[in-house]
Amino acid sequence: MSFSIESHNQKCYIVINEILNNPKIKFPELASKIQCEKEDLFSILDFIDKSDYLSGMNFSRGKGNEILIPFYDNAQITEKGIQFIDCYKKEHEIKNQKVFISYNQNSCKEFIDVLEDELRDYSLVSRDINEVGYWDSFKEFMDSIREHDLIIAVISDRYLKSANCMYEIIEMMKDNSWKNKLLTIVWDDVKIYNASDRLTYTEFWNNEYKELSVRIKSIPPEDSIKASEDLRRISTIKSDIGIFLDYISDTNNPNKYTGINAVKERLNRLGRNPSSRTL
């Protein structure tokens, strides 16, 4: 039988639960539950039996020891079976987590490529270059940030000076639990660990606000609707960036050398305690 380890484990998980919840389930119905042929289900049942995940199963076997008729109506889960079920649930919980990667494409794309690759086995990853196709809306994608379980923000100097990146952060901060969702990786070119350095970014956005305000005043109001919307966005950024920087400056942030392993370790920790979302 040809299968991946993940597919095989999933089928074992489904079969064990179906047998325990409905011991009288007919063999054809059980096969349909995992969408496989009779021979494939025999192999799954044989594996479950030999792995000692269930006790009390009996098989009528042929000359080559292949299963002819399975009897599982008296099956009971074993300690090994409980461990298998628990492990599968934890892994499945991790892989169903939605992770949003927030970053600046001009400062760390190669790093993000590696990060995304590493996280594919752990979670459902949302990244702009994969989610926003031709003619799709970047704003709609950025607005989805609060729908995710975790947000990985790779903070660079260009990131903190990007209206789109900061818009994602402002949207994230509308969620009352944003601090519990956020994992930050801080790039080498960012200086945020003293008040003077943090004010540099506040001054940057104040200057952006003043410059755009002057330009908007120079044209008729009916021609500056979109620019006025951008001005309101910048106003929010300049007001809230200090709160954001104060928070991450008080955090033990991994860097580009340690960030990927730190994120994977955190995801593994959540897998060991999937009911906990306190980071």
Side-chain angles (χ1 to χ4, degrees), residues 10-28:
Q10 182 184 35
K11 289 175 180 178
C12 288
Y13 175 81
I14 294 171
V15 168
I16 290 171
N17 277 286
E18 290 295 334
I19 289 174
L20 293 175
N21 292 327
N22 183 12
K24 302 294 185 183
I25 188 170
K26 301 296 184 183
F27 186 80

Side-chain angles (χ1 to χ4, degrees), residues 17-40:
N17 277 286
E18 290 295 334
I19 289 174
L20 293 175
N21 292 327
N22 183 12
K24 302 294 185 183
I25 188 170
K26 301 296 184 183
F27 186 80
E29 185 182 352
L30 186 57
S32 71
K33 292 287 185 180
I34 59 173
Q35 300 179 337
C36 72
E37 299 297 326
K38 177 178 70 173
E39 291 77 12
D40 290 343

Side-chain angles (χ1 to χ4, degrees), residues 150-154 180-185 262-263 266-267 279:
L150 291 174
I151 297 146
I152 301 172
V154 182
N180 290 338
K181 290 185 173 185
L182 179 64
L183 302 178
T184 47
I185 299 171
V263 169
R266 179 53 57 89
L267 287 171
L279 301 178

Side-chain angles (χ1 to χ4, degrees), residues 100-105 126-129 131-133 136-148 150-151 159 162-175 226 230 233 237:
F100 188 104
I101 302 180
S102 179
Y103 70 106
N104 182 276
Q105 289 189 17
S126 294
R127 180 182 176 188
D128 54 0
I129 63 172
E131 306 294 331
V132 185
D136 288 343
S137 167
F138 280 104
K139 184 177 182 298
E140 286 182 8
F141 171 72
M142 293 188 291
D143 285 343
S144 75
I145 191 167
R146 284 187 288 159
E147 299 170 9
H148 290 71
L150 291 174
I151 297 146
Y159 182 97
S162 162
N164 282 345
C165 295
M166 294 312 301
Y167 176 77
E168 290 175 354
I169 291 300
I170 298 305
E171 282 301 300
M172 175 197 71
M173 291 173 69
K174 292 177 182 178
D175 188 329
K226 178 61 172 69
D230 290 344
R233 183 187 298 183
I237 293 172

Side-chain angles (χ1 to χ4, degrees), residues 160-262:
L160 294 174
K161 294 176 179 177
S162 162
N164 282 345
C165 295
M166 294 312 301
Y167 176 77
E168 290 175 354
I169 291 300
I170 298 305
E171 282 301 300
M172 175 197 71
M173 291 173 69
K174 292 177 182 178
D175 188 329
N176 290 333
S177 62
W178 68 269
K179 293 179 182 178
N180 290 338
K181 290 185 173 185
L182 179 64
L183 302 178
T184 47
I185 299 171
V186 175
W187 223 239
D188 295 344
D189 63 352
V190 175
K191 295 181 179 179
I192 55 169
Y193 294 107
N194 65 61
S196 179
D197 289 332
R198 293 193 295 277
L199 284 174
T200 299
Y201 294 103
T202 304
E203 289 170 353
F204 172 85
W205 286 108
N206 271 285
N207 290 334
E208 291 288 298
Y209 181 85
K210 290 175 185 176
E211 183 179 331
L212 186 56
S213 295
V214 170
R215 299 194 67 178
I216 287 174
K217 289 176 182 177
S218 68
I219 59 176
E222 63 271 19
D223 297 331
S224 63
I225 295 174
K226 178 61 172 69
S228 296
E229 290 176 2
D230 290 344
L231 186 67
R232 285 192 290 273
R233 183 187 298 183
I234 291 174
S235 177
T236 305
I237 293 172
K238 75 182 182 66
S239 298
D240 290 355
I241 190 171
I243 298 171
F244 175 68
L245 291 178
D246 285 348
Y247 173 72
I248 63 172
S249 68
D250 187 46
T251 305
N252 182 16
N253 302 291
N255 56 34
K256 63 183 180 182
Y257 304 108
T258 59
I260 292 176
N261 285 336

